[in-house]
Amino acid sequence: MTFAGLALSTIAAIAAAIGLTVLALYLLRRTPRPQVVSNVTFWMRAAQSSRPRFLRATKIPWIAFLLSLLVALLFVGELGDPRFGRGMRGTTVIVLAADRSMGAETGGERRIDRAVREVRRWVDRGTAGGRVAVVRAGMRPDTLLALTEDPSDLDRALVGLGLDDGPADLRAAIRLADRIITTSGDPGQILVVADRDVDEALETRATRVLVPVGMPADTIAIGDFTARRDPLAAGEYVVQVQLRSFSSREASARLQVYDGEVPLLDRRVLLRPGAGVSYAAQGFSAERADLTARLTSIEIAGSEDALALDDVAYAVVPALRPLTVLYVSRGNPYLEAALAVHPSLRVDATDPGSFSARSAEDLAAYDVLVLDRTPLPEGAQHAAAVLFSPPSGQLGAAGDADSPRVTAMLGSHPALRGVRLDGVRVRRALRFSLEPGDQVLVRSGGDAIAIARETPGRRTVAYGLDLGATDLVEREAFPLMVHQSLSWAASVRDEIPLPRRLGEPLHATDQTVLGPDGEPVDATALAVIRHQGIYRVGERAEAFSAAIHAREIPSGASAARFRTSDPLPPLAVLVAVALLLLMLLEWTLVHRGRLQ
Amino acid sequence: MAVLDRTIRRVLDRMRLSVRPRATANRQGSHRSPLKAQGVEFAEHRPYVAGDDVRHIDWKAFARHGQLVIRSFEEERDAFVHVLLDVTGSMSRGTPPKIEVAQKLAASFAYVGMRQFDRARVVPFADDLDELPLAVRGAQDLPALEKLLEAAEAAGPTNFAASVRALAARGTPRGLVIVITDVMSPEGWDEGFRQLGAMGHELRVVRIGCAEDLAPSFTGELELHDAETGERVRLRVTKPLLERYRAEVKKHLEAAREACQRAGGRWIEVDVEMPMERVIKRVFGGPVHKTAARGER
């Protein structure tokens, strides 16, 4: 049961009304009923002889009236302000959780709706004797309602209140609330209206009280959703979906993946209690793809899916863009063939003499430089370069490797993704001297015969293998190695386009950003993306997905306190009604003769 | 007679009103008197003295004993029956009102007195007496009695002592005085009863009670209206106060009963809720004095 939390003016009005009611009942009780008797003398004698010593009978109704009035007014005070007489006035800051789990729906009511009702009650209660502020605890906490003494301000503040698709930063919100109380200079308390408590170790100067909302609930969620270009099939992409069950019951759902309006995947999936399952699909070919994964027709035995937000996820496959390559060589048919087989490359070839004459601006027009037995000049500022047998200059060889052979390779490096060099014969190779931060891609014994160097704003891959003295060039791995090296050096051109995390900023310079609904996004909202979906910055699309935040719906420590609605009226109301009924009953009994 | 219906009259036809010999009147009647004179009921023999009527000498006794003795007989006289009817305000209380029962009783006494050739007179009283009505001697007087009773309304205060004094001042002959009242006034009863006894009347008090007087049940904030004086008293009536009131009334009634008995009177209690036949049997019952019509009982 809760208290009404009425405003001071309302309390005063109720107190006056109840006071008048008690007075009226007293006067009615004291209004004598006429009774004709044979002779009043005997009654007077009886009254004189039966008068009590210490308390006159005529005083009892007056004392009863005062006691009734006192009790009624005390109940009115308790009804209006639960802190009555408890010294809890001052500044109250309410932290309202507004994250994804607050959208969970149980019994036809969302947690946030219940939470807003609680906030209204506490704002009304808090403004009765002090000031109240409300902090919205989303992914980034902000002040929803500044310190005020007027409860009607809350209605204006709640206009447009929405939930973030990511988790709330309750700790930061509570610290913000604590600062508000500290700066106000008044004693106060922090009320956290949320579906979970924060870490007890969080120290606050003000008293912190949890006002829990919500009930235990089940949900089936998309835990991960990615799409990437298939490195083995140019122009194609692969989709991977991971589902999680946050329920202790068997569940099933219909999984659908769309590219725009085109369905790519549609299947019924079964999930065991608490289990996860992954589905992958490949072979899709498109210039670009805006992918949406949805779970529909969710069935949980004996329960229902409480959270709809985690039933959808987004990913994008960026459009293919040709990679411009400046190929500098005296002539290497293997390398030229490897460059030629890649469909997304646009290659300009030149010889080392012309290369040295080109300006830096001219070179900057290319995404990546491929230098065959041509040194990268000292001081050259190009961001991406793939070097084969560089004799000198930047990343120049330190000498020949002894008895070169491939003894180890860094297969996990993006430049060698999918490449196998098992059994590759090498008759001649250069070795490189390493600098801090260099990664050895291929090692021949203790010599580094291929390295990757990454400095801020620059990526370089250098292979010491003499392409004329190895059978690598004849292998299938060679074109892939060239392509992966180009891709990595060209700075994530073909990296897996992982969805962005909610809460991160979206960078857009002088470009209009369209949100998931197709409407322009306000510039202030770009600092923190709060809602999942596909955002468009010009021709670029970026997916912000909440799937990474999928987790069990919190239900708090005490299920008994997590009620969605009060089954009974407030305690004070019940007591006040009972008191009123008692007074009416008394009056009826006293005046029963008159009622007949 | 509207006051007494046929059923009551049939019951009253079997009733007699006995009067003590000392309270009889001076006309020929049916009650024993203390006088020895002509009559039909032999009383005693006494020695002849000069001046006695020689017709009363018992010659048979002279023949047997040789002494002159006179045969004396009891003289039967009639009686005055004074019915003092309380018509004060308190008689309006009760269900049915006490005054209704009192009117029937007064009519009953007059009716029975008329049947046994007594002179019955119903005298309403409150704080004084009005003109004394004529006594009922026969059936021709009943309409006047009925009119008198119908005109008697229960109102006004009680002053029984003053009423008795007024009765004495009017030279009322000695007889049977029947006081029909509720005795619900605190003073005057002792003095009135004592004066009636001193006047040589035979006193009979019929107290009519009701539950409201003896055991009221109303409680709460009350404004008590005195039915006789109209006085208003505001009281919070509680159960202890009710108990105390009952004790006060009981004490008062006991005192009045003792005053009645000290005056040689007889105290009879009836209640308004009692059936009229039972009331009549109670008020006409009790010790019966020797009468000329003894055989009729």
Side-chain angles (χ1 to χ4, degrees), chain A residues 31-387:
Chain A
T31 303
R33 179 159 45 100
Q35 175 66 48
V36 180
V37 295
S38 296
N39 199 303
V40 297
T41 307
F42 300 110
W43 288 98
M44 294 302 294
R45 288 179 179 174
Q48 288 174 352
S49 60
S50 67
R51 180 174 298 169
R53 293 180 181 176
F54 303 109
L55 192 63
R56 295 182 60 182
T58 54
K59 298 295 181 188
I60 293 177
W62 174 246
I63 295 171
F65 161 69
L66 291 179
L67 283 176
S68 300
L69 189 62
L70 177 64
V71 171
L73 292 180
L74 283 175
F75 275 117
V76 169
E78 187 71 13
L79 174 70
D81 188 352
R83 303 167 306 173
F84 181 75
R86 297 175 193 166
M88 294 180 66
R89 297 179 183 277
T91 300
T92 302
V93 180
I94 301 172
V95 175
L96 172 62
D99 59 346
R100 51 184 284 126
S101 63
M102 292 298 284
E105 185 174 333
T106 311
E109 184 186 43
R110 295 189 310 161
R111 293 182 177 184
I112 186 64
D113 300 328
R114 164 76 177 178
V116 167
R117 287 210 310 275
E118 290 289 342
V119 169
R120 287 186 189 279
R121 291 181 186 177
W122 283 100
V123 167
D124 288 342
R125 202 173 305 171
T127 50
R131 295 187 294 171
V132 174
V134 179
V135 171
R136 178 184 180 279
M139 302 185 73
R140 297 282 190 278
D142 53 8
T143 303
L144 184 67
L145 174 65
L147 279 175
T148 181
E149 297 175 348
D150 185 2
S152 62
D153 291 343
L154 180 66
D155 294 330
R156 293 186 287 275
L158 288 176
V159 173
L161 173 67
L163 300 179
D164 291 353
D165 293 346
D169 192 349
L170 272 181
R171 294 177 65 88
I174 291 172
R175 281 195 289 268
L176 174 59
D178 202 28
R179 282 199 300 275
I180 292 174
I181 293 175
T182 303
T183 54
S184 72
D186 298 327
Q189 61 176 347
I190 300 172
L191 300 179
V192 181
V193 183
D195 56 1
R196 63 187 181 279
D197 203 355
V198 291
D199 188 2
E200 292 292 336
L202 179 60
E203 294 289 339
T204 54
R205 297 179 62 182
T207 305
R208 193 173 78 231
V209 178
L210 173 67
V211 181
V213 292
M215 295 172 62
D218 298 317
T219 187
I220 305 300
I222 297 176
D224 191 20
F225 179 49
T226 57
R228 64 179 177 88
R229 291 287 177 184
D230 191 345
L232 303 178
E236 295 184 359
Y237 60 89
V238 178
V239 174
Q240 186 160 8
V241 185
Q242 186 181 56
L243 307 180
R244 286 291 305 275
S245 170
F246 299 105
S247 172
S248 58
R249 300 176 175 88
E250 297 280 349
S252 66
R254 182 183 180 188
L255 171 63
Q256 295 171 298
V257 178
Y258 287 90
D259 176 7
E261 301 296 331
V262 180
L264 303 181
L265 181 66
D266 188 350
R267 61 182 302 175
R268 191 76 187 173
V269 295
L270 298 176
L271 286 166
R272 292 195 305 276
V277 63
S278 294
Y279 294 94
Q282 58 187 4
F284 307 114
S285 180
E287 180 69 19
R288 56 188 299 168
D290 297 339
L291 302 175
T292 304
R294 289 187 187 280
L295 286 176
T296 58
S297 304
I298 299 173
E299 294 177 1
I300 303 176
S303 182
E304 59 182 6
D305 187 69
L307 188 59
L309 177 70
D310 57 7
D311 298 334
V312 61
Y314 301 92
V316 296
V317 178
L320 286 172
R321 187 172 71 84
L323 194 65
T324 57
V325 176
L326 178 61
Y327 169 56
V328 183
S329 175
R330 298 186 185 89
N332 187 331
Y334 297 106
L335 191 53
E336 291 169 4
L339 293 173
V341 298
H342 201 289
S344 60
L345 292 184
R346 195 179 67 216
V347 181
D348 289 342
T350 184
D351 54 56
S354 303
F355 173 66
S356 59
R358 295 210 173 190
S359 63
E361 293 76 14
D362 190 14
L363 295 179
Y366 296 96
D367 293 323
V368 63
L369 305 179
V370 177
L371 308 181
D372 178 26
R373 291 167 292 173
T374 302
L376 185 64
E378 293 289 347
Q381 298 298 319
H382 202 278
V386 178
L387 312 178

Side-chain angles (χ1 to χ4, degrees), chain A residues 30 33 35 37-38 49, chain B residues 213 219 221 223 225 234 244:
Chain A
R30 293 289 288 160
R33 179 159 45 100
Q35 175 66 48
V37 295
S38 296
S49 60
Chain B
D213 289 344
T219 57
E221 288 287 339
E223 187 176 67
H225 293 202
R234 184 170 168 176
R244 192 63 204 157

Side-chain angles (χ1 to χ4, degrees), chain B residues 177-193:
Chain B
V177 175
I178 301 171
V179 183
I180 303 175
T181 179
D182 58 357
V183 204
M184 285 303 289
S185 65
E187 296 169 349
W189 301 104
D190 187 15
E191 180 185 347
F193 294 154

Side-chain angles (χ1 to χ4, degrees), chain B residues 6 16 73 77 101 103 145 197 201-202 218 241 248 256-257 264 290:
Chain B
R6 180 169 297 179
R16 280 201 57 81
F73 295 87
R77 300 286 181 87
V101 179
Q103 286 168 333
L145 173 63
H201 294 296
E202 179 185 351
F218 39 79
L241 181 62
E248 286 289 337
R257 188 180 66 80
K290 184 179 178 184

